């Protein structure tokens, strides 16, 4: 019953591009029945209307940071199920989390001329970018991560080209936003100079092949000289309720490659500062 309710809510979110006040009230009421009482439901503004976001406070006096969760753009009505277990788990272990759905990619039909479809695609791109940027603006922590699932990985990497360089990226089963341009995902990833954690499970369900697959992504990052790229295979279920291993794996790689790495840099910083502050000629 809970899954059915979440599916209905998801369709409402996707199909309603803008909401009246009464529609917002109804949407919040439906979301409230589907999420824990301590989840804050936000209705955020964007250029083309409004959209919902779920904020989960960290169960910690001083949060470790904030994580923006972007569900797969193909998850559609499953966006709540796809993100629920992960966002709650990370909040329980010290992270502020914000989850938001991305708009569905437009599909060309016989009713669309090339010009009309091109405009739909352009508007969709602007909306996706605006939505991610709006989500990031809600996060007021020194340490910010983006956790992007499936096809949202390319969008996250694209937005990060012009974002705060301290933001780190985690991608889960990354896919290109457009299957006709699969290498564009690699272009955006290799252009980043931040910590990137790449978790994947291959082959995909139903015999689907990931292009670019894990090998291509790894090779591209090595060729780009990216020293802070970390790739691991996911050893259990990825989405839905059966995500116990993924939850622990996510927390593990975050602790290793972000929390511990930050602490190591902080410990090394005073030593570097002490050397730099010496007067010229006394560096022995």
């Amino acid at each position: 019953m809970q899954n059915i309710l979440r599916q209905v809510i998801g369709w409402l979110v996707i199909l309603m591009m803008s909401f009246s006040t009464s529609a917002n009230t109804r949407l919040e009421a439906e979301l409230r029945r589907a999420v824990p009482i301590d989840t804050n439901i936000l209705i955020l503004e964007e250029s083309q209307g409004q959209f919902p976001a779920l904020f989960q406070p960290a169960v910690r006096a001083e949060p470790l940071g904030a994580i923006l969760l972007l569900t797969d753009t193909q998850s559609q009505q499953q966006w709540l199920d796809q993100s629920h277990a992960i966002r709650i788990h990370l909040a329980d272990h010290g992270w502020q989390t914000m989850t938001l759905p991305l708009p569905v990619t437009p599909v060309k039909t016989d009713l669309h001329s090339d010009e009309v479809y091109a405009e739909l695609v352009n508007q969709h791109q602007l909306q996706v970018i605006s939505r991610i940027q709006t989500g990031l603006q809600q996060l007021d922590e020194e340490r910010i991560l983006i956790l992007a699932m499936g096809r949202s990985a390319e969008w996250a990497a694209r937005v990060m080209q012009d974002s705060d360089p301290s933001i780190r990226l985690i991608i889960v089963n990354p896919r290109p936003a457009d299957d006709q341009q699969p290498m564009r995902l690699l272009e955006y990833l290799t252009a980043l100079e931040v910590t990137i954690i790449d978790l994947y499970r291959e082959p995909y369900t139903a015999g689907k092949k990931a292009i670019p697959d894990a090998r291509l992504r790894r090779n591209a990052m090595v060729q780009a000289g990216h020293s802070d790229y970390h790739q691991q295979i996911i050893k259990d279920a990825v989405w839905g309720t059966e995500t116990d291993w993924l939850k622990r794996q996510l927390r593990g790689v975050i602790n290793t490659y972000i929390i511990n790495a930050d602490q190591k840099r902080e410990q090394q910083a005073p030593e570097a500062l002490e050397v730099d502050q010496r007067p010229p000629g006394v560096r022995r």
Side-chain angles (χ1 to χ4, degrees), residues 46-238:
E46 62 180 352
S47 58
Q48 300 186 34
Q50 298 172 314
F51 66 95
L54 305 177
F55 180 78
Q56 194 71 27
V59 185
R60 184 184 173 99
E62 296 184 5
L64 295 171
I67 302 178
L68 178 65
L69 278 78
L70 305 175
T71 55
D72 191 342
T73 56
Q74 284 195 330
S75 66
Q76 299 181 12
Q77 72 268 32
Q78 285 84 32
W79 74 281
L80 288 177
D81 279 338
Q82 189 182 87
S83 62
H84 178 76
I86 293 172
R87 73 181 189 85
I88 296 297
H89 180 79
L90 292 174
D92 285 347
H93 289 86
W95 292 88
Q96 311 273 21
T97 67
M98 173 164 285
T99 308
L100 54 87
L102 296 181
V104 180
T105 304
V107 177
K108 193 176 189 305
T109 69
D110 295 338
L111 300 177
H112 296 140
S113 66
D114 291 342
E115 292 77 11
V116 169
Y117 179 67
E119 181 58 27
L120 287 175
V121 170
N122 181 62
Q123 290 300 317
H124 172 260
Q125 292 177 350
L126 294 175
Q127 187 180 25
V128 172
I129 292 171
S130 172
R131 190 168 291 193
I132 296 174
Q133 291 173 336
T134 300
L136 287 173
Q137 290 169 5
Q138 311 306 309
L139 305 178
D140 188 23
E141 293 290 335
E142 183 176 346
R143 182 188 286 124
I144 295 177
L145 319 179
I146 297 180
L147 198 167
M149 309 174 188
R151 296 185 188 275
S152 68
E154 181 178 318
W155 291 111
R158 179 173 178 176
V159 169
M160 289 177 66
Q161 309 296 317
D162 302 313
S163 298
D164 185 336
S166 67
I167 297 175
R168 271 69 70 88
L169 176 64
I170 304 170
I171 51 180
V172 179
N173 262 6
R175 298 284 299 279
D178 183 351
D179 284 335
Q180 303 304 313
Q181 302 184 61
M183 295 299 108
R184 196 168 58 187
L185 171 59
L186 292 183
E187 294 174 7
Y188 288 127
L189 289 176
T190 55
L192 293 175
E193 297 181 357
V194 302
T195 301
I196 300 175
I197 300 172
D198 181 346
L199 302 182
Y200 71 96
R201 183 176 175 84
E202 295 176 355
Y204 286 174
T205 58
K208 294 181 179 178
K209 186 176 181 180
I211 301 176
D213 62 12
R215 184 186 67 84
L216 288 177
R217 296 195 302 273
R218 181 180 63 251
N219 289 350
M221 299 302 280
V222 171
Q223 291 164 351
H226 200 299
S227 60
D228 215 358
Y229 170 80
H230 311 281
Q231 188 181 80
Q232 284 188 12
I233 190 170
I234 299 171
K235 301 179 181 179
D236 209 336
V238 179

